[in-house]
Each structure stands twice: as structure tokens, then as C-alpha cells.
Amino acid sequence: MSETPAIAIPEGYVLHGQPGGFVYRNGPVYIKYTDAGSTLMMTLGGEHTNAAGFAAGGLLMTLLDIALGTHVSANVGTRAICPTVQLNCNLVAGARIGETLIGESEISRITRSLAFASGHLRVGDRKVATATAVFHIPPDIAAARKSSPQPAQS
């Protein structure tokens, strides 16, 4: 049984991850897709914390990867995965059970085959972690982007 506190899911968010998959088993993680990209949300439960009672660093890094990656994927016109090439994370504050993490990101540049993004996880106004990342845009997605109008970068 999950130790994650029950929360009301804000309008527009959907459960992220395939049933039985890594993200699904380590969540629940929710994503809100918009024309400009996506926003991540997760409320921390006991299963997400380390022995000191703070969100595990590996979990925070995973959530940053998901937040930036889903934003890139949505921005290039797919909900398929754009694989992570590089991820640099800074864990700057703690988060505890019952706190809700919000993941926000922006894209600084998109080339034919790569996307460069940065973002953060926050609890309210408190930044918990920051990241920069590079994602690979698979050839089939890159080809589709080349032949269609491009979404605005955010």
C-alpha cells in the first residue's frame, strides 16, 4: 500500500507513466500539457524519502529528467520520449512528506537533432532542485518537425 498522501489533482493534470513501469511505480507523477510545454506535479510520500525524512536525491533527479524531457517532447510535437543525452542537477533544499513538488522548465535552444532545456523543482516558492539538460530528437520526429510549422519555444 502506498504511503503517498491523498491529494486532489488540479484540473488539466494527467497521470504520467505506463502501468507497471518505472515512473508509474515511483509516483504518482502528474503532468499538465499546454501549447507551450508541460508542468510536473508530485506529492511526496514516505516511500519517496531517505532515512533523514527528505525526498531522496535520486528521486529529485528523476523528476527533473521527466519535467524537462516531457517539456521538450511536447515542444517538438510528440509525447514520445526524446532520450536524455546529458543531465546536470543541483539539489539546493530539502522537501518532506506531504509537500507537493512542481517541476517547471524552459527550452533555450532546439537544433535539428538536439534540444537544450533548464528547469527546477519547487515547493511553493522554495526551489528544491535545478537542472540543465540536453535531449536527442529522434530522426522521425526531426523529419516531421522539418515539414510542419514549429511550436513556439518557451
Coordinates of all heavy atoms in Angstrom, one line a residue, residues 36-40 61 63-73 75 84 86-90 102-110 114-122 127 129-135 153-154:
A36 N 2.6 25.4 -24.8 CA 4.0 25.8 -24.6 C 4.9 24.7 -24.1 O 6.1 24.8 -24.1 CB 4.1 27.0 -23.7
G37 N 4.3 23.6 -23.6 CA 5.2 22.5 -23.0 C 4.4 21.8 -22.0 O 3.3 21.3 -22.2
S38 N 5.0 21.6 -20.8 CA 4.4 20.8 -19.7 C 4.8 21.3 -18.3 O 5.9 21.9 -18.2 CB 4.6 19.3 -19.9 OG 6.0 19.1 -19.8
T39 N 4.1 20.9 -17.3 CA 4.4 21.1 -15.9 C 4.2 19.8 -15.2 O 3.2 19.1 -15.4 CB 3.5 22.2 -15.3 OG1 3.6 23.4 -16.1 CG2 3.9 22.5 -13.8
L40 N 5.1 19.5 -14.3 CA 5.1 18.2 -13.5 C 4.6 18.6 -12.1 O 4.9 19.6 -11.5 CB 6.5 17.6 -13.4 CG 6.7 16.4 -12.5 CD1 7.7 15.5 -13.2 CD2 7.2 16.9 -11.2
M61 N 16.3 14.0 -9.0 CA 16.9 14.0 -10.3 C 16.1 13.3 -11.3 O 16.0 13.8 -12.5 CB 18.3 13.3 -10.2 CG 19.3 14.1 -9.4 SD 20.9 13.4 -9.4 CE 20.9 12.6 -7.8
L63 N 12.8 13.2 -11.3 CA 11.7 14.1 -11.6 C 12.1 15.3 -12.5 O 11.4 15.7 -13.3 CB 11.1 14.7 -10.3 CG 10.3 13.6 -9.4 CD1 9.9 14.2 -8.1 CD2 9.2 13.0 -10.2
L64 N 13.3 15.8 -12.3 CA 13.9 16.8 -13.1 C 14.0 16.3 -14.6 O 13.6 17.0 -15.5 CB 15.2 17.3 -12.6 CG 15.1 18.3 -11.4 CD1 16.5 18.4 -10.8 CD2 14.6 19.6 -11.8
D65 N 14.5 15.1 -14.7 CA 14.6 14.5 -16.1 C 13.2 14.4 -16.7 O 13.1 14.7 -17.9 CB 15.3 13.1 -15.9 CG 15.6 12.5 -17.3 OD1 15.9 13.2 -18.2 OD2 15.6 11.3 -17.4
I66 N 12.2 14.0 -16.0 CA 10.9 13.9 -16.5 C 10.3 15.2 -16.9 O 9.8 15.4 -17.9 CB 10.0 13.1 -15.5 CG1 10.4 11.7 -15.3 CG2 8.5 13.2 -16.0 CD1 9.7 11.0 -14.1
A67 N 10.5 16.2 -15.9 CA 9.9 17.5 -16.2 C 10.5 18.2 -17.4 O 9.8 18.7 -18.3 CB 10.2 18.4 -15.0
L68 N 11.8 18.1 -17.5 CA 12.5 18.7 -18.7 C 12.2 17.9 -20.0 O 11.9 18.5 -21.0 CB 14.0 18.9 -18.5 CG 14.4 20.1 -17.7 CD1 13.9 20.2 -16.3 CD2 15.9 20.2 -17.7
G69 N 12.3 16.6 -19.9 CA 12.0 15.7 -21.0 C 10.6 15.8 -21.6 O 10.4 15.9 -22.8
T70 N 9.6 15.9 -20.7 CA 8.2 16.0 -21.2 C 8.0 17.3 -21.9 O 7.3 17.4 -22.9 CB 7.2 15.7 -20.1 OG1 7.4 16.6 -19.0 CG2 7.2 14.2 -19.7
H71 N 8.6 18.4 -21.3 CA 8.5 19.7 -21.9 C 9.1 19.7 -23.3 O 8.5 20.2 -24.2 CB 9.2 20.7 -21.0 CG 9.0 22.1 -21.4 ND1 8.9 23.2 -20.6 CD2 8.8 22.7 -22.7 CE1 8.7 24.3 -21.2 NE2 8.6 24.0 -22.5
V72 N 10.3 19.1 -23.4 CA 11.0 19.1 -24.8 C 10.1 18.3 -25.7 O 9.8 18.7 -26.8 CB 12.4 18.5 -24.7 CG1 12.9 18.0 -26.0 CG2 13.3 19.5 -24.0
S73 N 9.6 17.1 -25.3 CA 8.8 16.3 -26.2 C 7.6 17.0 -26.6 O 7.2 17.0 -27.8 CB 8.5 15.0 -25.5 OG 9.6 14.2 -25.3
N75 N 7.1 20.2 -26.8 CA 7.5 21.3 -27.6 C 7.9 20.9 -29.1 O 7.7 21.7 -30.0 CB 8.6 22.1 -27.0 CG 8.7 23.5 -27.5 OD1 9.4 23.7 -28.5 ND2 8.1 24.4 -26.8
T84 N 17.4 11.4 -23.0 CA 18.3 12.3 -22.3 C 19.7 12.0 -22.8 O 20.2 10.9 -22.7 CB 18.2 12.1 -20.8 OG1 16.8 12.3 -20.4 CG2 19.0 13.2 -20.1
Q86 N 22.3 14.4 -21.7 CA 23.1 14.9 -20.6 C 22.1 15.5 -19.6 O 21.2 16.2 -20.0 CB 24.1 15.9 -21.0 CG 25.0 16.5 -19.9 CD 26.0 17.5 -20.4 OE1 26.0 17.8 -21.6 NE2 26.9 17.9 -19.5
L87 N 22.4 15.3 -18.3 CA 21.6 15.9 -17.2 C 22.5 16.4 -16.1 O 23.2 15.5 -15.5 CB 20.5 14.9 -16.7 CG 19.6 15.4 -15.6 CD1 18.7 16.5 -16.1 CD2 18.8 14.2 -15.1
N88 N 22.4 17.6 -15.8 CA 23.2 18.2 -14.7 C 22.2 18.7 -13.6 O 21.4 19.5 -14.0 CB 24.1 19.4 -15.1 CG 25.1 18.9 -16.2 OD1 25.8 17.9 -16.0 ND2 25.1 19.6 -17.3
C89 N 22.3 18.2 -12.4 CA 21.4 18.6 -11.3 C 22.1 19.2 -10.1 O 23.2 18.8 -9.8 CB 20.6 17.3 -10.8 SG 19.7 16.5 -12.1
N90 N 21.4 20.1 -9.5 CA 21.8 20.7 -8.2 C 20.7 20.6 -7.2 O 19.6 21.0 -7.5 CB 22.1 22.2 -8.4 CG 23.3 22.4 -9.4 OD1 24.4 22.0 -9.2 ND2 22.9 23.0 -10.5
I102 N 6.5 20.9 -7.7 CA 6.1 21.4 -9.0 C 7.4 21.5 -9.9 O 8.4 22.1 -9.5 CB 5.4 22.7 -9.0 CG1 4.2 22.7 -8.1 CG2 5.1 23.3 -10.4 CD1 3.1 21.8 -8.6
G103 N 7.4 20.9 -11.1 CA 8.5 20.9 -12.0 C 8.2 21.8 -13.1 O 7.2 21.6 -13.8
E104 N 9.0 22.8 -13.3 CA 8.9 23.8 -14.4 C 10.1 23.9 -15.2 O 11.2 23.7 -14.7 CB 8.5 25.2 -13.9 CG 7.2 25.1 -13.1 CD 6.9 26.4 -12.3 OE1 7.9 26.9 -11.7 OE2 5.8 26.8 -12.2
S105 N 10.0 24.1 -16.5 CA 11.2 24.2 -17.4 C 11.0 25.1 -18.5 O 9.9 25.6 -18.8 CB 11.5 22.8 -17.9 OG 10.5 22.3 -18.7
E106 N 12.2 25.4 -19.2 CA 12.1 26.2 -20.4 C 13.2 25.6 -21.3 O 14.1 25.0 -20.9 CB 12.4 27.7 -20.1 CG 13.8 28.0 -19.5 CD 13.9 29.5 -19.2 OE1 13.0 30.1 -18.7 OE2 15.1 29.9 -19.3
I107 N 12.9 25.9 -22.6 CA 13.8 25.4 -23.6 C 14.6 26.6 -24.1 O 14.1 27.6 -24.5 CB 13.1 24.7 -24.8 CG1 12.3 23.5 -24.2 CG2 14.0 24.4 -25.9 CD1 11.3 22.9 -25.1
S108 N 16.0 26.4 -24.1 CA 16.8 27.5 -24.6 C 17.2 27.5 -26.0 O 17.4 28.5 -26.7 CB 18.1 27.6 -23.7 OG 18.8 26.4 -23.8
R109 N 17.2 26.2 -26.6 CA 17.6 26.1 -28.0 C 17.1 24.7 -28.5 O 17.2 23.7 -27.8 CB 19.1 26.2 -28.1 CG 19.6 26.1 -29.5 CD 21.0 26.5 -29.6 NE 21.4 26.4 -31.0 CZ 22.6 26.0 -31.4 NH1 23.5 25.5 -30.6 NH2 22.9 25.9 -32.7
I110 N 16.7 24.7 -29.8 CA 16.4 23.4 -30.4 C 17.1 23.4 -31.8 O 17.0 24.3 -32.5 CB 14.9 23.2 -30.6 CG1 14.2 23.1 -29.3 CG2 14.6 21.9 -31.4 CD1 12.6 23.0 -29.4
L114 N 19.0 18.0 -31.5 CA 19.1 18.2 -30.0 C 18.2 19.3 -29.5 O 18.0 20.3 -30.2 CB 20.6 18.5 -29.7 CG 21.6 17.5 -30.0 CD1 23.0 18.1 -29.8 CD2 21.4 16.2 -29.2
A115 N 17.8 19.2 -28.2 CA 17.1 20.3 -27.5 C 17.8 20.5 -26.2 O 18.2 19.6 -25.5 CB 15.7 19.9 -27.3
F116 N 17.9 21.8 -25.8 CA 18.6 22.2 -24.6 C 17.6 22.8 -23.7 O 16.9 23.8 -24.1 CB 19.7 23.2 -25.0 CG 20.8 22.7 -25.9 CD1 20.5 22.6 -27.3 CD2 22.0 22.2 -25.4 CE1 21.5 22.1 -28.1 CE2 22.9 21.7 -26.3 CZ 22.7 21.6 -27.6
A117 N 17.5 22.4 -22.5 CA 16.5 22.8 -21.5 C 17.1 23.0 -20.2 O 18.1 22.5 -19.8 CB 15.4 21.8 -21.5
S118 N 16.4 23.9 -19.4 CA 16.7 24.1 -18.0 C 15.4 24.1 -17.2 O 14.4 24.4 -17.8 CB 17.6 25.3 -17.8 OG 16.8 26.5 -18.2
G119 N 15.5 23.9 -15.9 CA 14.3 23.9 -15.1 C 14.6 23.7 -13.6 O 15.7 23.7 -13.2
H120 N 13.5 23.6 -12.9 CA 13.6 23.4 -11.4 C 12.4 22.7 -10.9 O 11.4 22.6 -11.5 CB 13.8 24.8 -10.8 CG 12.6 25.7 -11.0 ND1 12.5 26.6 -12.0 CD2 11.4 25.8 -10.3 CE1 11.3 27.2 -12.0 NE2 10.6 26.7 -10.9
L121 N 12.6 22.2 -9.7 CA 11.5 21.7 -8.8 C 11.4 22.7 -7.7 O 12.3 23.1 -7.2 CB 11.9 20.3 -8.3 CG 12.0 19.1 -9.2 CD1 12.5 17.9 -8.5 CD2 10.7 18.8 -10.0
R122 N 10.1 22.9 -7.4 CA 9.9 23.8 -6.3 C 8.7 23.3 -5.4 O 7.9 22.5 -5.8 CB 9.5 25.2 -6.8 CG 8.2 25.3 -7.6 CD 7.9 26.7 -8.0 NE 6.8 26.7 -8.9 CZ 5.5 26.7 -8.5 NH1 5.2 26.6 -7.3 NH2 4.5 26.7 -9.4
K127 N 12.7 26.8 -4.1 CA 13.4 25.9 -5.1 C 14.0 24.8 -4.3 O 14.8 25.0 -3.4 CB 14.4 26.7 -5.9 CG 13.8 27.4 -7.1 CD 14.8 27.9 -8.0 CE 14.1 28.7 -9.1 NZ 15.0 29.4 -10.0
A129 N 15.4 21.9 -6.3 CA 16.5 21.4 -7.2 C 16.4 22.1 -8.5 O 15.3 22.6 -9.0 CB 16.3 19.9 -7.4
T130 N 17.6 22.2 -9.2 CA 17.6 22.8 -10.5 C 18.4 21.9 -11.4 O 19.1 21.0 -11.0 CB 18.4 24.2 -10.5 OG1 19.7 24.0 -10.0 CG2 17.7 25.2 -9.5
A131 N 18.2 22.1 -12.7 CA 18.8 21.2 -13.7 C 19.0 21.9 -15.1 O 18.2 22.8 -15.4 CB 18.1 19.9 -13.9
T132 N 20.0 21.4 -15.8 CA 20.1 21.7 -17.2 C 20.2 20.4 -17.9 O 20.8 19.4 -17.3 CB 21.3 22.6 -17.5 OG1 22.5 22.0 -17.1 CG2 21.2 24.0 -16.9
A133 N 19.8 20.3 -19.1 CA 19.8 19.0 -19.8 C 19.8 19.2 -21.3 O 19.5 20.2 -21.9 CB 18.6 18.2 -19.4
V134 N 20.3 18.1 -22.0 CA 20.3 18.1 -23.4 C 19.6 16.8 -23.8 O 19.8 15.7 -23.2 CB 21.8 18.0 -24.0 CG1 21.7 17.9 -25.5 CG2 22.6 19.2 -23.5
F135 N 18.7 16.9 -24.8 CA 17.9 15.8 -25.2 C 18.0 15.5 -26.7 O 18.2 16.5 -27.5 CB 16.4 16.0 -24.9 CG 16.1 16.1 -23.5 CD1 16.1 17.3 -22.8 CD2 15.8 15.0 -22.7 CE1 15.9 17.5 -21.5 CE2 15.5 15.1 -21.4 CZ 15.6 16.3 -20.7
Q153 N 9.0 28.3 -28.8 CA 9.8 27.8 -27.7 C 9.4 28.6 -26.5 O 9.0 29.7 -26.5 CB 11.3 28.0 -28.0 CG 11.8 27.1 -29.1 CD 13.3 27.2 -29.3 OE1 14.0 27.6 -28.4 NE2 13.7 26.9 -30.5
S154 N 9.5 27.9 -25.3 CA 9.2 28.6 -24.1 C 10.3 28.6 -23.1 O 11.3 27.9 -23.3 CB 8.0 28.0 -23.4 OG 8.2 26.6 -23.2

